[in-house]
Amino acid sequence: MFLRQLEPRTARTTSEVLNFALWPFAVMTVLHQVFVKATNFNITDDFAPVYKASLAFLNGKSIYAENFDLVDPHYLYPPGGTLLIAPLAIIDPDRSKWCFDSLNAIAMLVAWYLLLKLFKLSIKSYAAPLTLLLMFSSETVINTLAFGNVNGCILLAEVVFIALLLARRELWAGVVMGLAITVKPTIAPMLLIPLMRRQWKVFLPALGVPIALTAIALPLIKDPMDYVHRTLPYSIQARDYFNSSIPGISAYLGLPSLLTWSIRIGMGVLVLVSLWLLYRYYRHDELFFICTTSGILLLAEFLISGLGQQYYSMLLFPFLMTVVLRNSVLRNWPAWLAIFGFTTFDKWLLDHWQVIGRDLEYLRITFGWGLLLFVTFCVLGDRYLTARREGRLDSGIDPTFLLPEHNGAPVPDAPQTPRIPVPDTAATIGPADPDDEEPSNAPNEAGVLH
């Protein structure tokens, strides 16, 4: 049956044309990123410090002795995360990185499939190859595989967490989120979603798993307190390189502290208002609420916290998938201009205008995140103000064209144009030609006799 699907045939519908055209591009793009980008040499290597720390952990040596004066990638995983990734050092570095990249690629493919299921998109529709192609053409996927980062596994944990929340499997959702937080605390703001939905059981494993793994790891690490005194403060502070957050860009540009804090507080206000509107009017629309809220929380994390890097944008994929929902906040061109800013692999460095090129390259990610947050706030705010003006806040703030009574309302009859009687001139004048006569439905005499 599978080989029969590969049989070359001519497309008969637009959907088939798109499927036949997109699947080869999607499959070959995935293969290129996994077998070429992930295995070739790259000047940035996130995996090297991870492997080094894992090897040091297995051999009982110091882990958190990084020289933070250098701009090379540093090992920032907490002790519990070190315990989870330590098996990477059992084999040699090259094969370990290939296994690690393969694990991340598989995780991203599983996350893509689960997102299709969450949004009720068939694997046979052209949405499947289109979303796969866009995912693996983005900077976040390409650099995750090229640098050897764990983002793919974190994306899968996020999608599984959302699916388990929707299925009311709260304890398992907490376990998944707890494992993700243990490795990468960047995703911790997602816990605000079960808090808003009052799914209290999530928090027992979500907090218990990191605490338990940390308690197990601390006695096994030679220098556990160095993480508290050296690594943790460094990971919190805003550095002025490879950092697209507002504090990071401000440090790079040398902006005054007052201006930096004003921008951060302003963005924080947009986040709070957007979250309040979502909670007040959309919390019963579960898929839209969870995925849109996750996007706002993670955008706030990337922008307002001390560290935000472009390939973190992978965690926004569930939010971007809401565009298929009719009440999505992303169905407008400014939202996709923003998404272009932080997802594309384009480089905007200019040889002839180097200062302008550097500013475009370094600021497009920050502006993309900020613009998407601003667009979300504006769409929700406009819906609220429109509904209040029309006096229908009690029924929600969706646009009127989405309301059931609007969709099912009968169309009023068009005004009838008065008909002017036309005199029957055929009876008085007669046809000019016998061929002009209308054919009669009654059988003629010749036909009956025949």
Side-chain angles (χ1 to χ4, degrees):
M1 181 61 69
F2 173 73
L3 294 177
R4 188 179 181 86
Q5 295 295 323
L6 300 179
E7 177 186 353
R9 59 185 185 274
T10 302
R12 299 183 180 182
T13 64
T14 303
S15 179
E16 285 186 345
V17 171
L18 292 173
N19 260 311
F20 293 165
L22 289 172
W23 270 117
F25 276 84
V27 172
M28 296 309 295
T29 300
V30 172
L31 294 177
H32 179 267
Q33 315 307 18
V34 174
F35 291 106
V36 179
K37 286 289 187 180
T39 58
N40 284 351
F41 171 78
N42 199 293
I43 193 171
T44 301
D45 190 356
D46 288 349
F47 183 76
V50 172
Y51 185 87
K52 180 182 176 182
S54 301
L55 190 62
F57 174 81
L58 294 179
N59 293 321
K61 297 181 180 180
S62 298
I63 297 175
Y64 301 109
E66 294 278 340
N67 182 3
F68 294 126
D69 293 329
L70 303 176
V71 296
D72 296 329
H74 300 296
Y75 183 74
L76 304 177
Y77 289 17
T82 303
L83 179 66
L84 290 178
I85 66 168
L88 290 172
I90 295 176
I91 56 178
D92 62 90
D94 286 339
R95 284 188 293 177
S96 180
K97 184 178 185 299
W98 296 340
C99 291
F100 188 64
D101 281 336
S102 299
L103 178 63
N104 273 279
I106 293 171
M108 287 185 282
L109 290 172
V110 175
W112 160 76
Y113 180 76
L114 291 177
L115 283 173
L116 291 178
K117 291 298 183 183
L118 279 177
F119 288 90
K120 297 180 174 56
L121 298 173
S122 172
I123 195 72
K124 296 181 180 180
S125 69
Y126 65 84
L130 177 62
T131 52
L132 185 62
L133 175 61
L134 292 176
M135 280 179 62
F136 276 81
S137 299
S138 65
E139 183 276 345
T140 176
V141 170
I142 294 174
N143 280 344
T144 290
L145 294 173
F147 298 168
N149 202 279
V150 75
N151 291 331
C153 296
I154 303 301
L155 171 65
L156 177 58
E158 177 191 10
V159 175
V160 171
F161 175 71
I162 292 173
L164 291 173
L165 282 183
L166 291 170
R168 297 295 194 276
R169 305 290 294 275
E170 299 172 6
L171 292 176
W172 282 111
V175 170
V176 172
M177 183 53 61
L179 291 172
I181 292 174
T182 302
V183 176
K184 202 154 193 173
T186 304
I187 201 172
M190 289 282 292
L191 286 177
L192 188 60
I193 295 175
L195 179 64
M196 297 170 73
R197 288 165 53 87
R198 301 178 183 179
Q199 293 178 284
W200 311 116
K201 294 180 182 179
V202 171
F203 292 93
L204 181 61
L207 300 178
V209 168
I211 293 173
L213 291 174
T214 302
I216 295 172
L218 286 177
L220 304 176
I221 296 177
K222 183 179 180 180
D223 53 346
M225 297 312 295
D226 281 351
Y227 175 78
V228 178
H229 298 307
R230 298 183 72 252
T231 305
L232 185 59
Y234 171 80
S235 62
I236 294 175
Q237 71 181 10
R239 64 195 192 202
D240 60 355
Y241 61 93
F242 303 137
N243 189 359
S244 298
S245 67
I246 292 173
I249 289 296
S250 298
Y252 171 75
L253 297 176
L255 300 181
S257 178
L258 180 60
L259 178 59
T260 302
W261 276 104
S262 299
I263 298 173
R264 295 172 80 179
I265 293 172
M267 286 296 176
V269 171
L270 299 186
V271 170
L272 292 176
V273 173
S274 300
L275 291 177
W276 180 82
L277 290 173
L278 284 170
Y279 176 77
R280 177 67 178 83
Y281 296 104
Y282 285 108
R283 66 180 182 272
H284 300 299
D285 187 352
E286 294 186 321
L287 182 60
F288 172 78
F289 172 76
I290 291 178
C291 292
T292 305
T293 302
S294 72
I296 294 174
L297 292 173
L298 292 171
L299 282 170
E301 167 74 15
F302 304 158
L303 273 173
I304 302 174
S305 70
L307 179 62
Q309 295 182 306
Q310 186 178 3
Y311 60 9
Y312 289 178
S313 303
M314 181 183 296
L315 302 180
L316 297 176
F317 283 166
F319 179 36
L320 303 188
M321 285 291 292
T322 62
V323 71
V324 303
L325 303 177
R326 294 194 66 197
N327 58 352
S328 172
V329 298
L330 303 180
R331 291 193 167 192
N332 54 81
W333 69 261
W336 290 95
L337 176 64
I339 294 166
F340 173 86
F342 60 78
T343 56
T344 60
F345 199 60
D346 300 341
K347 298 295 181 185
W348 287 77
L349 299 173
L350 301 172
D351 291 337
H352 298 288
W353 304 279
Q354 295 185 8
V355 175
I356 297 175
R358 282 197 300 269
D359 289 343
L360 288 174
E361 174 64 19
Y362 299 155
L363 292 175
R364 66 184 178 91
I365 302 139
T366 310
F367 283 168
W369 289 337
L371 178 58
L372 187 57
L373 189 58
F374 184 72
V375 167
T376 303
F377 164 79
C378 288
V379 171
L380 292 174
D382 179 68
R383 290 180 182 180
Y384 172 79
L385 294 176
T386 302
R388 188 178 69 172
R389 184 171 61 250
E390 296 174 355
R392 54 180 180 84
L393 285 177
D394 292 339
S395 60
I397 62 173
D398 270 337
T400 53
F401 68 87
L402 293 178
L403 300 180
E405 57 269 20
H406 179 82
N407 294 334
V411 179
D413 294 332
Q416 297 292 331
T417 304
R419 302 184 64 181
I420 302 174
V422 179
D424 188 4
T425 58
T428 58
I429 300 176
D433 190 272
D435 293 337
D436 291 337
E437 291 181 319
E438 292 291 331
S440 173
N441 291 330
N444 55 29
E445 183 179 355
V448 172
L449 293 176
H450 178 72

